[in-house]
Amino acid sequence: MSRRPPVRRSRRGRRPRRRQNADLEKLGLIALVGVVVVSVVVGVLRWLAEHPWVVVLVLLAVVAAGGVWVWRRREAAQWERVRSQGLRYAVEQLDRLHHRQFEFAVRDLMHRDGCTDALQVGGRGDNGADVKATDPYGRRWVIQCKHRKAGWSGKPVGTPDLHVLNGTGRQVHGGDVLVMLTNGRITSNAVTFAKSQRLHLVDRHLLAQWAAGSRPLWELLRAVPPPRKPTPLA
């Protein structure tokens, strides 16, 4: 008698069962975690319902924390206004600054005068602008700073120093008021060139008056462009 070859059972059907079992175990674990979370939440809510004073205390704490945060923000803003409004520099102080610090000092003075968006932008590729600001009348200021360690005795600002500002102040930076500002002196040729190109100059004497006083720069300069918007209320 011939023997029949043994029947081999395919193992392909076992893998789906294992996967199904694994999926069922994951679902069971997720369901268990969900039940635990719901139980904890329900328990906490019941406990809070039995102790309503805890909810009141938490709400009071949140309100108090929010009030402290708002108060600190207002106090910081108030101190910043006091600091900026009381900012003063003697010209000798400005002489001792690094040229980059000098630019930041000019920025702070513009901020003191009401230019809330005043920025120091000097550096490589600044295209002749060290400080930019918009005054309360809507005029855009572009200021180039020339710091001289020796002050009045240092190298004067000449016509070549004005060329970059004149070429980029309006076309590149969109300035309404273009200012060359220095703690030193300015040559007579530069003064003549500035008048012909509607540039404004601030030398050591005018800088000292502005930095140590309380009047904004636009009240000290002559022939400043008219306001772009109505005069702000005092």
Side-chain angles (χ1 to χ4, degrees):
M1 294 179 65
S2 60
R3 296 181 179 179
R4 295 180 180 179
V7 178
R8 296 182 178 180
R9 297 180 179 178
S10 176
R11 297 181 179 179
R12 294 180 180 177
R14 297 180 181 179
R15 293 181 179 176
R17 291 182 180 178
R18 291 180 179 177
R19 291 179 180 174
Q20 290 176 0
N21 292 336
D23 291 340
L24 290 175
E25 290 177 358
K26 290 181 180 178
L27 289 174
L29 181 60
I30 293 173
L32 178 60
V33 172
V35 170
V36 172
V37 171
V38 171
S39 299
V40 171
V41 171
V42 171
V44 171
L45 291 177
R46 287 179 178 175
W47 187 84
L48 291 176
E50 296 173 357
H51 304 82
W53 56 270
V54 175
V55 178
V56 175
L57 289 178
V58 171
L59 292 176
L60 289 176
V62 171
V63 172
V68 170
W69 181 81
V70 171
W71 176 77
R72 287 183 177 178
R73 287 292 299 271
R74 289 180 178 177
E75 186 180 50
Q78 181 179 359
W79 278 112
E80 174 61 23
R81 286 194 296 270
V82 171
R83 186 199 68 80
S84 63
Q85 290 173 1
L87 183 63
R88 301 288 187 275
Y89 284 109
V91 71
E92 291 78 14
Q93 288 178 278
L94 298 175
D95 292 341
R96 294 191 291 268
L97 297 179
H98 182 270
H99 70 89
R100 192 70 69 221
Q101 294 175 319
F102 181 66
E103 295 171 6
F104 280 106
V106 173
R107 177 206 64 182
D108 292 344
L109 288 169
M110 293 297 290
H111 188 276
R112 178 200 70 182
D113 292 345
C115 303
T116 57
D117 66 343
L119 288 175
Q120 184 277 338
V121 294
R124 286 188 177 182
D126 58 23
N127 291 320
D130 294 317
V131 176
K132 292 182 181 181
T134 306
D135 66 26
Y137 304 93
R139 294 171 297 209
R140 186 66 173 164
W141 290 66
V142 178
I143 303 175
Q144 188 175 13
C145 302
K146 293 295 181 182
H147 184 262
R148 300 292 187 252
K149 291 183 178 179
W152 189 262
S153 301
K155 180 181 177 181
V157 174
T159 304
D161 296 314
L162 299 176
H163 288 166
V164 175
L165 175 64
N166 188 47
T168 63
R170 297 184 181 92
Q171 295 86 339
V172 176
H173 302 293
D176 299 306
V177 188
L178 311 185
V179 180
M180 174 63 73
L181 183 148
T182 180
N183 64 322
R185 52 199 173 94
I186 300 172
T187 66
S188 57
N189 289 337
V191 172
T192 302
F193 178 79
K195 289 181 179 179
S196 68
Q197 301 300 315
R198 294 181 293 117
L199 305 177
H200 297 272
L201 302 178
V202 177
D203 63 4
R204 184 178 183 83
H205 299 304
L206 187 56
L207 175 62
Q209 184 180 354
W210 176 46
S214 58
R215 297 176 64 190
L217 188 56
W218 47 88
E219 292 184 3
L220 301 175
L221 293 175
R222 296 180 179 179
V224 175
R228 282 180 171 268
K229 61 183 182 180
T231 303
L233 297 176

